[in-house]
Every structure is written in C-alpha cells, then in structure tokens.
Amino acid sequence: MTQSSEKVVIVGSGIAGMCSALALANRGFAVTLLERDTPPPQGDADAAFFDWPRRGAAQFRHPHAFLGLMCNLLEDNYPELLQDFYAAGARRVEFQDMLPAELESSYEPEPGDEKLWVLMCRRATIETVLRRYVARLPNISIVNEITIDGLVTQRRGRELQVCGLKVRRDCVARFGATIAADVVVDASGRTTRFPRWLSDLGAGVPEENDSAEIVYYTRHYRLNPGVMEPARGGKERSAGDLGYLKYGVFPGDNGNFAIIVCLHNAEVELREAVKDGASFDAICRSIPGLAPWLREGTMEATTEPFGIGDIRAVWRHFVVDGRPLATGFFAVGDSALRTNPLYGRGCSTGILHAHILADVLSDVTDPISRALVFDHRSETELRPIFDASLREDRSGIKRALASLEGRMVEDSTSLKSWFGLAFGDALAYAARHDLHVLRGMMRTVNLLEKPGDFLKDQRTRLKLLRYMLRGRTRNASARVQNGPDRAQMLELVGQQASA
C-alpha cells in the first residue's frame, strides 16, 4: 500500500466518519478524526448505551438496521472488526432465518443467499466496537472534545479551496486556533454547520428538503434471563403499517430489543399517548405482531419512550453548474444526504459513501476532478436509494392523511391507480409465497442492487402477473396487518388515560 502525503481531517466520529477513516486509512492516507463528544466509557455494550453522553448523534439510542450492504462491506474489508462485533454480542441473521413461515419448508440455498444477511445490535454497540477498532490503527488519530467553528479557505482563481478548520475559542488553548488539512471531510451529521459556513463564504449550498411529516418514538426492553425471542416468520409480523401508525421491533444484542411507533405529525392525541410508558406498552400490546414481545413476565423496559422528529429527505448539492462550490472539501453520510431513518438505510449509505470517497481520493489527484467524480458517483450510487426513500415518504403521508380523514387510500380512482394497487398487493403476497420474488425484494431491501432492479427480471414479472390475475381480494391479505383501526386505538388510549 502506497502511503499518501496528504493530511485528511474528518469532522465527526459517528458511523460515517469512522467508516471514512477506515476506508481512507486502508488506502494509505493519514487521517485525523475530530469529535466534540467524549470517547465511549470503559465497559461493555450496556455501559456505552446507558452511560455515554453522545450529544453529536441524535439517533444514538434509537434503533438501527444494519443491512446487507453495510454488512458485506464490513465482511469483505474488515473481517477482524466483524469478529469484534460478534464478541460484543452482535448477531448475524441469515436469509434463511428471515423467511416467512410459508416458505421455510421449501427453502433451498442458491448462490447469492450468503449476501442477504443483517447484523442485529444496538447502535451504541456498533459505535463503541468500531471506535475501539479505529483507535488501534496506526495511521488514524482521534481528537475528542474539540469543537470546530468555521473553515480556513483561500482563493485560487475562481475556486474556493478549503485548507483547514477554525477551532472554537474555548478549545484554542488545547488545540490551537486552526487545524491545517489537505482534505476536510464533513461527517458531522444531520445538524452539520458546514453548509452555513460555505454560504457565509459566498458558496451557498443548494439542497432538496422534504419533510416526511412524521415523528417516531422508541422504547427499549431486555428479555428476562432464559426467555427466548418470539419466533420470526409467523403470520403476525413484528413490523408493519396500520395506515395511521407504523410499528417495528428491532432485536438487539445481549437480550435487548427496541420497539418503535411512528405517527403522522397531525396525530396529536396518539403522539401524546406514546410519550407515556404504560400507554406505549398498551398500544403495542394491542397490535398482534408486537404483543408476543411484551408478554407479562418475559421482559422489562430499560428506558422510557423517547422521540425524534424533523424527519426529512435532504440532498445537498456541492457541485453547481458543473463547478464545485469548494475544492478540498467533501461531505459524507447525513451531512450530504438524509433519508427517513424508519427505513434503516442511513448506516449503509454512510459506509458506501465513505468507500466512494476513499476510491476517489486514491484514484484522482486533481482537486476539481476529485469533486466532480465524487459528485457523479454519489449521484449514480446513492441517488436511487434517496429517490426510493422519498417516494416511500410521500406514499406514507398519503396513507396517514387518508386515515385521519376516515377514508381508504387503497380505493382506486382510475385504471392507472387500480393497476398500481393491484401490483402492490401481488408483490406483497408473492414475497410471502415465492422464494424467487422474495430473494429479489431482499436484494432491494438490503441495498445490494438499485431499488426495484429485481422487477426487470422476466421470471419475476411473469410470476407477479400470475399473482395479479388471482385478484386483489386474495392478495391483499398479505399486505394488510392485523391491528386496531384508528378509532379503536383512540378509544384504547382514552381508556388508558382514564385508568
């Protein structure tokens, strides 16, 4: 491996920041990670989850999905790190383990199934293990409790070149007023201040910004000793959409699991109810797919419910009209693009973005060309995931508003809408009864191919056509999750409040 003389400084040591450091160090770059928070505390995964004041990661204690894209990049590039995750209690769940009950007896492995696996653990576990692994590497240094307050730049002709960072006044005595860098990477996440600093320098960052119009609440639990998790793949699914409410179980490490309840911003009464632990549990127990996880005597809550809002799809443009806004500067992960965390894609897109950056910095030396190639690859490889997430947000908004207004969004008003709904019903049914279709869907879910690419397969298309010919009534049973309707849930919440 050729060592680079360039100094790379990454702001933010979340998952995108640490994965960027890993990928760049593997390519021979000397990397400095700057982090405003303290390092993880000594101890196990529980110590990290309960005791680490992780202000810089707003979703730190919310559930995460570590999808196949991320898992395979880890396995292919950092096998020792993966072993560290297992040692900390993270679990590898294979494609076969995730099959619906209808397909378990007919399953036969095929090439590619080995890529369809996920890692189950809490984000605190991922960050702690990843952080300790990164800290052991010789060409990566981590600086904690430092706050950055601006960019050091210079003009080279028409180009604004980033050549360092300004340190906030209260940190100057320890770290100096500025930090020089050949390349600055913004991995500071959803609350990044870099776009504002660039705008102050005359390089405004255009962005696409769409609200998902939702808030979701999380509560964490731990299974009692000797209690096994409910079986996967049953008729009642542990994740689903009731129209007015989305829900999901996230099994974690060391007997821990979390449940999320997601609501439209206008669901004022339900949003208030899920803040209370007893009401949160009552809501979850009323949903058949969640009830087995909350059986009396099998678990205990380890947190109260807590929420996160301002859920948005954000894409920032750092190349405008074919010119980079600044050279020597790159944004990765949530600093560059955000998708609804409900879909669990953020960690995977973050590590993919990190590897794109490492490829570009290693293969391209001209500053302008670097910015252009990085922008092009980001658009090519990440934009399809972003667009799919945005479409899902808009569909979810329509469903939630229809529930608020007491109507069914599934009612078709034209031939085109009928066909789309019939296709969706057929796809949902096929995914529970046909292994070939399920494999294709799981490649999309795990971001191992562009969203929807499996629908280009002729065999899949013919199968779905046959399912459509069965009629919507028969297929809809696979799409609709059992649970109270909105009126029933509001009544339940009212009774809980009275009690």
Side-chain angles (χ1 to χ4, degrees):
M1 178 177 62
T2 303
Q3 293 295 315
S4 171
S5 61
E6 291 185 285
K7 179 183 179 182
V8 179
V9 176
I10 300 172
V11 181
S13 68
I15 290 174
M18 286 190 288
C19 287
S20 296
L22 273 180
L24 287 163
N26 269 6
R27 296 300 192 96
F29 290 90
V31 180
T32 300
L33 272 165
L34 306 180
E35 171 58 52
R36 74 174 187 176
D37 288 345
T38 59
Q42 296 298 314
D44 60 9
D46 278 354
F49 181 82
F50 291 107
D51 300 335
W52 192 3
R54 193 71 174 91
R55 297 176 303 132
Q59 298 159 234
F60 181 69
R61 289 180 178 81
H62 287 279
H64 284 66
F66 304 107
L67 303 176
L69 169 61
M70 178 179 182
C71 295
N72 284 284
L73 281 170
L74 290 172
E75 186 169 46
D76 293 344
N77 295 282
Y78 319 106
E80 293 179 356
L81 171 59
L82 197 55
Q83 293 304 314
D84 289 350
F85 287 136
Y86 297 149
R91 293 175 292 156
R92 180 182 182 127
V93 180
E94 307 282 357
F95 175 59
Q96 184 175 0
D97 301 322
M98 297 181 279
L99 292 176
E102 295 90 336
L103 292 174
E104 288 177 352
S105 62
S106 61
Y107 174 70
E108 293 185 5
E110 288 189 3
D113 285 0
E114 73 281 358
K115 298 290 186 182
L116 298 172
W117 66 282
V118 299
L119 202 62
M120 288 189 172
C121 63
R122 292 167 290 181
R123 173 166 173 160
T125 305
I126 283 278
E127 278 211 30
T128 301
V129 173
L130 181 54
R131 169 64 178 263
R132 290 171 179 169
Y133 180 86
V134 167
R136 297 197 299 265
L137 298 179
N139 51 340
I140 299 177
S141 61
I142 305 176
V143 180
N144 280 103
E145 299 180 78
I146 179 173
T147 302
I148 300 303
D149 204 26
L151 291 165
V152 178
T153 61
Q154 60 185 17
R155 286 281 176 183
R156 288 196 171 180
R158 294 175 54 192
E159 308 303 333
L160 178 69
Q161 180 184 4
V162 174
C163 48
L165 296 158
K166 297 177 182 177
V167 176
R168 197 173 71 181
R169 183 178 303 173
D170 59 344
C171 300
V172 168
R174 288 176 293 153
F175 305 109
T178 61
I179 295 174
D182 298 302
V183 175
V184 170
V185 179
D186 175 15
S188 56
R190 71 200 297 256
T191 59
T192 176
R193 298 165 67 198
F194 281 83
R196 192 188 78 192
W197 295 333
L198 286 170
S199 180
D200 291 344
L201 293 165
V205 181
E207 68 175 38
E208 303 164 55
N209 193 322
D210 292 88
S211 174
E213 299 182 16
I214 60 169
V215 62
Y216 69 84
Y217 276 78
T218 296
R219 195 176 198 192
H220 286 266
Y221 306 83
R222 180 183 289 116
L223 294 170
N224 291 336
V227 176
M228 301 294 292
E229 290 179 356
R232 294 185 180 86
K235 178 182 177 183
E236 303 297 350
R237 281 160 281 174
S238 59
D241 187 352
L242 300 180
Y244 64 94
L245 176 151
K246 297 180 178 68
Y247 62 89
V249 174
F250 288 76
D253 53 275
N254 303 300
N256 292 277
F257 68 95
I259 296 178
I260 65 166
V261 171
C262 176
L263 297 159
H264 189 272
N265 290 340
E267 288 284 4
V268 177
E269 190 171 349
L270 291 177
R271 286 181 58 186
E272 194 62 31
V274 295
K275 297 176 183 178
D276 172 73
S279 295
F280 186 97
D281 288 355
I283 288 170
C284 293
R285 288 191 176 108
S286 74
I287 300 171
L290 298 183
W293 290 85
L294 297 182
R295 295 192 311 274
E296 293 291 346
T298 64
M299 52 76 222
E300 63 172 347
T302 58
T303 71
E304 288 300 313
F306 54 95
I308 186 169
D310 192 32
I311 307 298
R312 295 181 172 277
V314 178
W315 186 286
R316 295 189 172 97
H317 295 271
F318 296 94
V319 171
V320 178
D321 297 329
R323 303 289 299 185
L325 295 176
T327 60
F329 171 82
F330 301 89
V332 295
D334 282 359
S335 296
L337 68 141
R338 283 165 53 190
T339 56
N340 189 336
L342 190 66
Y343 313 132
R345 294 164 180 160
C347 293
S348 290
T349 54
I351 190 172
L352 175 59
H353 217 185
H355 280 79
I356 292 172
L357 177 63
D359 288 347
V360 172
L361 294 188
S362 179
D363 297 342
V364 184
T365 56
D366 175 69
I368 294 177
S369 297
R370 275 180 168 177
L372 297 179
V373 174
F374 181 70
D375 180 72
H376 174 73
R377 285 198 57 183
S378 299
E379 285 279 350
T380 301
E381 299 179 45
L382 295 173
R383 170 63 74 165
I385 300 170
F386 176 85
D387 287 345
S389 299
L390 183 57
R391 287 193 298 271
E392 290 170 46
D393 284 347
R394 290 170 176 168
S395 176
I397 291 170
K398 288 180 181 178
R399 261 201 104 183
L401 292 177
S403 293
L404 278 165
E405 297 167 7
R407 56 185 174 82
M408 296 292 290
V409 76
E410 289 83 4
D411 294 339
S412 55
T413 56
S414 67
L415 180 61
K416 181 179 179 181
S417 63
W418 176 89
F419 186 88
L421 293 166
F423 182 82
D425 290 339
L427 184 59
Y429 191 89
R432 292 191 67 85
H433 295 84
D434 190 287
L435 273 167
H436 183 76
V437 175
L438 177 62
R439 282 188 174 96
M441 285 191 67
M442 291 301 289
R443 288 196 301 273
T444 282
V445 168
N446 283 283
L447 306 181
L448 299 178
E449 63 183 21
K450 292 180 180 179
D453 268 9
F454 76 100
L455 294 173
K456 298 176 182 177
D457 173 58
Q458 187 66 18
R459 182 181 171 193
T460 298
R461 294 165 73 92
L462 289 172
K463 284 176 175 288
L464 292 176
L465 178 60
R466 286 198 292 271
Y467 280 110
M468 286 180 70
L469 293 175
R470 291 159 34 95
R472 286 192 64 195
T473 302
R474 293 178 67 185
N475 291 332
S477 61
R479 175 180 50 77
V480 177
Q481 282 85 45
N482 289 329
D485 62 28
R486 183 171 179 271
Q488 291 169 330
M489 187 66 83
L490 289 170
E491 182 180 359
L492 171 70
V493 166
Q495 292 171 352
Q496 184 68 30
S498 299

